[in-house]
Amino acid sequence: MADAKVIPFGEEPRARRKSLRAGRAGRGPVLAPVPEARTGPDEPAEPGRPAERPARSLDERIAGGLNFLRRRITGDYEIDDFGYDEELTDQVLMSLLRPLAEKYFRVEVRGIENIPGKGGALIVANHSGTLPLDGLMLQVAVHDNHPAQRHLRLLAADLVFVLPVINELARKAGHTLACAEDAQRLLERGEVVGVMPEGFKGIGKPFADRYKLQRFGRGGFVSTALKAGVPIVPCSIVGAEEIYPMIGNAKTLARVLGIPYFPVTPTFPWLGPLGAVPLPTKWTIQFGEPIATDGYSPEAADDPMLMFNLTDQVRETIQHTLYKLLVQRRSVFF
Amino acid sequence: MKAEGGKEGLILGKVVLVTGAARQLAGRFVRRIQRDPDVDRVIGVDAVPPEHHLGGAEFLKADIRHPTIARVLAETGVDTVVHMDINGTPLGSRGGRAVVKETNVIGTMQLLGACQKAPNVQRLVVKSSTSVYGSAPRDPAVFTETTPPKSLPGGGFAKDAVEVEGYVRGFARRRPDVAVCVLRFANILGPCADSPLAEYFSLPVLPTVLGYDPRLQFVHEDDAIEVLRIAASAPRRGTLNSGTFNIAGDGVLLLSQTSRRLGRPTLPLFLPTVMWAGTALRAIGISDFSPEQIRMLTHGRVVQTTQMRETLGFQPQYTTAETFAEFAGSRGPGLLPPESLARTVDRLAAVLPARAARPSEEFTHDGGRQGHSLR
């Protein structure tokens, strides 16, 4: 647990944590841990996925590592149009997030079979937790639990692509801007795309409103899925709401810093960087029955009533599943 | 006006006028189109005589900013105009940014005005740039020809290109009988590229913006010439060569990848520092790095090329990576040549007990971290 706790500082607090702390605590502590987490001592790769990796000899691992190193330093690897670096994501970024998902939040994944084995799909999830850790955990969950090890391509808020370092990591991890053009292009290429239509309204809502779904934007995700003819997979994430219980919002400070909200939790900002350690809640990610969209005619994407109905259907499904999961949950932490 | 060489004779086939012929790329295009069997006569135009030969094509010393260009069009009976005199940097030491801007914008206006009055003109090809899309973090990852940019370029060459395209659209409305083709080129690279980006990649250490790794696309010079030729000739069966097309090689390279492939280390700087350094270097005339290029090297730019493939019917010969490899080969080794780095790793592998250099699909996490630390 002790080393797992270090991870959230170093890696992938994709959008806001950095900006928040950059504003408060200066740049030093924000940027410093990133290289530290990555360049850390070359301890054997045990923290990775001991269960899935057959025992490989040290020699083989060194050989593999040197091959990887060789490709990286000579620039001999491929990225796609969106800047997604599959090799880096699989070998480095995922390995850094995995302990957080497996050991810290102990993510339990249900209904993974609802994500198709191939072809495009749009996963629509609720958004919560002050910092978008839920998106990252979702990405790990889909990749590690799906039999085809599908890569989730998340659609992220524009703030992510404005911030230095974070935009670079987000692009390399396969995320792109949440806009219809990018989403449609990815879906048409047959990728699994993840979207959290609540956006800042969801992630930045006060603790008292936990598990109450906010408005689902303008339902643009439905028309994008319809145009691409891919199924919509509703996804409910339980556990992310309690990682940073947001009891207050320093709105003036947020406006000064140019961010949508400035969270005040029982520990943040009072304890400084320590306050940014998420609470070790127990997570459940449930994928619901896919909603097929290929039965509609091409003009249906321009029918506002149908869009509202489908949006509501997806929203209701996620909300009901959330309530069901909450009833089943024994405790926030176990 | 003086004619250099050239064939006097009957005007049977096409007569092509190429502006900006004193530039390398336009010079190559003139030589290429001169060999085209359908083309009867090629006239290169520029304000200064070219240093390279034009392969027997005529050269007329005429400044497109002046109305003389109308006389050239009228007297020579030009039917195809290839407007390539839209550039980001001055040629040699010919004035500064003001002159370039005037040539780009006023030159285009004059040329289009002349074309409008010339009944013979059937076809207009304009060499534009993907910089019309700007570079902003809030833009979609991939631009199509119809994507409106979130932030219009505020100045520099990109703004010129936007204005030029505006005038070209106006011309297309006024002369619907003329086939107008606007080609938006990504960064053109090649063995003899002389663009600011080529200059940048020739620096021993590449300054980059800390925390950003832009996606870049390149077009090979050969492909640029070929697509200009396609646009300047009659459309082939099943294709349409009027309209606006993005031209770029397949695939994308990150700036970090390009620096590693070149073997030139990067020097990450804070964005304000880069802006300030760019201004300082421009002021003392060492570099032509404009703020808009710094933006491109911060946020990157990728365009969709489906239209180029499907409508224009052009398949580039070189991918982005191949273009860059050829360019890197022509530049000489950097401080950290990738070959010697690879050799070092191999030697390290040989020292280790397991003969480790054999290719393997699996890697370890510690290897990954090493790789990253050396970025």
Side-chain angles (χ1 to χ4, degrees):
Chain A
M1 202 63 106
D3 59 339
K5 266 187 186 167
V6 181
I7 304 283
F9 281 91
E11 182 42 39
E12 295 293 88
R14 182 115 304 138
R16 270 148 307 275
R17 163 180 297 154
K18 289 236 172 100
S19 68
L20 301 180
R21 285 198 288 137
R24 281 213 59 87
R27 291 233 155 67
V30 180
L31 294 177
V34 174
E36 194 178 276
R38 289 174 159 183
T39 59
D42 292 352
E43 53 199 314
E46 288 319 322
R49 301 162 74 185
E52 288 193 23
R53 187 186 312 275
R56 286 203 293 148
S57 74
L58 185 66
D59 290 346
E60 273 178 317
R61 285 216 302 257
I62 291 172
L66 286 172
N67 267 322
F68 179 83
L69 170 66
R70 197 190 141 122
R71 272 196 306 280
R72 298 309 298 190
I73 60 172
T74 54
D76 185 17
Y77 50 89
E78 304 259 319
I79 57 156
D80 77 357
D81 287 356
F82 296 86
Y84 172 47
D85 188 337
E86 185 170 344
E87 190 178 67
L88 184 77
T89 305
D90 281 0
Q91 305 308 321
V92 182
L93 302 180
M94 283 289 201
S95 323
L96 292 170
L97 289 172
R98 200 164 282 129
L100 192 64
E102 288 180 353
K103 301 270 162 41
Y104 196 75
F105 295 129
R106 294 145 291 147
V107 178
E108 186 191 334
V109 179
R110 300 181 195 169
I112 192 79
E113 66 282 354
N114 289 318
I115 302 172
K118 57 173 186 248
L122 184 68
I123 297 180
V124 181
N126 58 317
H127 207 10
S128 57
T130 310
L131 292 183
L133 290 181
D134 51 353
L136 301 176
M137 295 301 110
L138 184 63
Q139 188 176 8
V140 176
V142 170
H143 179 260
D144 288 1
N145 290 280
H146 198 279
Q149 299 211 324
R150 300 211 63 174
H151 293 282
L152 181 70
R153 306 292 298 265
L154 283 169
L155 302 181
D158 51 5
L159 184 62
V160 170
F161 299 99
V162 175
L163 300 170
V165 183
I166 291 169
N167 81 86
E168 184 182 340
L169 287 171
R171 284 247 173 255
K172 286 181 180 170
H175 307 178
T176 192
L177 185 73
C179 61
E181 295 94 333
D182 284 8
Q184 196 168 351
R185 175 180 298 270
L186 283 169
L187 289 172
E188 279 166 1
R189 278 184 6 182
E191 306 271 1
V192 181
V193 178
V195 65
M196 288 151 164
E198 290 174 274
F200 290 126
K201 299 187 295 297
I203 192 170
K205 62 181 177 289
F207 188 61
D209 289 344
R210 59 193 182 278
Y211 298 114
K212 279 185 202 145
L213 279 190
Q214 304 296 301
R215 190 167 57 81
F216 263 20
R218 278 160 277 182
F221 69 94
V222 174
S223 65
T224 308
L226 233 74
K227 277 184 205 149
V230 300
I232 298 173
V233 182
C235 169
S236 314
I237 303 173
V238 167
E241 291 275 16
E242 291 93 355
I243 56 172
Y244 300 106
M246 189 162 134
I247 51 170
N249 181 1
K251 284 196 181 118
T252 318
L253 194 55
R255 227 180 345 247
V256 169
L257 295 174
I259 49 179
Y261 55 90
F262 187 93
V264 178
T265 73
T267 53
F268 184 84
W270 326 115
L271 300 184
L274 200 64
V277 177
L279 295 179
T281 53
K282 161 84 179 150
W283 287 32
T284 308
I285 298 181
Q286 164 102 52
F287 297 99
E289 290 273 321
I291 298 163
T293 61
D294 46 6
Y296 298 97
S297 63
E299 305 86 62
D302 300 322
D303 177 358
M305 269 337 276
L306 181 67
M307 290 308 106
F308 283 130
N309 288 343
L310 275 174
T311 309
D312 277 349
Q313 187 189 346
V314 175
R315 195 169 169 277
E316 294 292 302
T317 312
I318 296 172
Q319 182 71 75
H320 283 300
T321 317
L322 279 177
Y323 287 144
K324 236 185 283 173
L325 290 172
L326 285 172
V327 169
Q328 289 167 10
R329 179 163 79 162
R330 281 169 298 158
S331 122
V332 174
F333 296 104
F334 300 103
Chain B
M1 273 193 281
K2 71 176 195 246
E4 284 179 357
K7 314 181 275 188
E8 304 294 317
L10 294 166
I11 300 167
L12 292 172
K14 287 182 12 164
V15 182
V16 182
L17 179 102
V18 181
T19 63
R23 304 246 173 190
Q24 286 292 339
L25 191 72
R28 280 194 64 188
F29 175 66
V30 167
R31 291 196 291 275
R32 173 69 189 80
I33 199 137
Q34 177 76 16
R35 296 202 307 270
D36 216 328
D38 294 342
V39 174
D40 196 57
R41 195 172 164 200
V42 183
I43 302 154
V45 171
D46 208 328
V48 290
E51 284 169 11
H52 45 84
H53 73 101
L54 290 178
E58 290 165 55
F59 177 77
L60 290 176
K61 188 164 178 297
D63 195 330
I64 57 166
R65 287 172 293 169
H66 297 301
T68 40
I69 192 71
R71 244 176 46 225
V72 173
L73 281 178
E75 282 170 14
T76 50
V78 167
D79 53 30
T80 304
V81 176
V82 181
H83 183 29
M84 295 180 71
D85 209 352
I86 304 167
N87 297 287
T89 49
L91 179 63
S93 54
R94 187 165 58 124
R97 166 77 197 127
V99 176
V100 175
K101 183 180 167 70
E102 217 179 291
T103 309
N104 289 344
V105 180
I106 307 296
T108 303
M109 286 176 79
Q110 283 284 357
L111 181 71
L112 292 177
C115 288
Q116 201 177 324
K117 289 276 180 311
N120 281 343
V121 173
Q122 300 298 311
R123 192 171 289 282
L124 171 71
V125 180
V126 179
K127 169 184 163 272
S128 182
S129 152
T130 55
S131 58
V132 295
Y133 299 115
S135 283
R138 292 186 163 94
D139 279 322
V142 183
F143 293 101
T144 64
E145 281 83 352
T146 52
T147 316
K150 287 266 159 34
S151 57
L152 269 173
F157 171 59
K159 194 177 176 209
D160 295 358
V162 170
E163 287 176 1
V164 164
E165 286 200 7
Y167 294 130
V168 171
R169 271 193 296 276
F171 171 79
R173 267 198 306 276
R174 288 190 293 271
R175 279 288 302 267
D177 57 313
V178 177
V180 176
C181 182
V182 177
L183 300 174
R184 289 178 178 161
F185 287 97
N187 306 299
I188 300 174
L189 279 188
C192 53
D194 52 356
S195 64
L197 196 70
E199 226 174 90
Y200 168 77
F201 282 125
S202 308
L203 294 173
V205 175
L206 305 180
T208 59
V209 181
L210 184 70
Y212 293 89
D213 202 357
R215 297 159 298 140
L216 305 173
Q217 268 179 326
F218 303 113
V219 199
H220 196 278
E221 274 178 7
D222 296 356
D223 282 328
I225 302 288
E226 184 58 22
V227 74
L228 281 165
R229 198 188 62 76
I230 288 178
S233 27
R236 283 173 299 170
R237 257 173 113 73
T239 67
L240 185 68
N241 66 355
S242 51
T244 304
F245 301 96
N246 292 329
I247 310 293
D250 292 350
V252 172
L253 282 179
L254 293 177
L255 182 60
S256 59
Q257 262 180 308
T258 60
S259 81
R260 288 175 221 181
R261 289 182 184 197
L262 271 175
R264 293 176 202 272
T266 55
L267 176 67
L269 300 167
F270 280 110
L271 187 53
T273 324
V274 178
M275 285 292 186
W276 178 83
T279 317
L281 283 177
R282 252 195 327 280
I284 53 174
I286 289 182
S287 147
D288 287 313
F289 243 71
S290 57
E292 135 231 346
Q293 262 156 334
I294 295 174
R295 258 198 305 282
M296 203 265 289
L297 289 177
T298 309
H299 301 297
R301 186 187 308 133
V302 172
V303 295
Q304 192 190 33
T305 52
T306 321
Q307 289 288 319
M308 168 186 89
R309 273 158 222 293
E310 289 172 6
T311 312
L312 191 60
F314 172 68
Q315 300 288 340
Q317 215 183 329
Y318 294 85
T319 65
T320 288
E322 283 163 4
T323 305
F324 193 75
E326 185 142 319
F327 169 77
S330 72
R331 289 287 139 161
L335 293 173
L336 295 169
E339 299 81 26
S340 62
L341 284 178
R343 257 200 313 280
T344 313
V345 176
D346 288 346
R347 219 171 291 144
L348 191 63
V351 172
L352 293 166
R355 329 259 157 269
R358 87 191 126 89
S360 151
E361 284 310 305
E362 291 179 284
F363 336 97
T364 55
H365 302 278
D366 47 340
R369 288 185 194 142
Q370 279 170 17
H372 226 85
S373 69
L374 279 166
R375 285 196 324 145

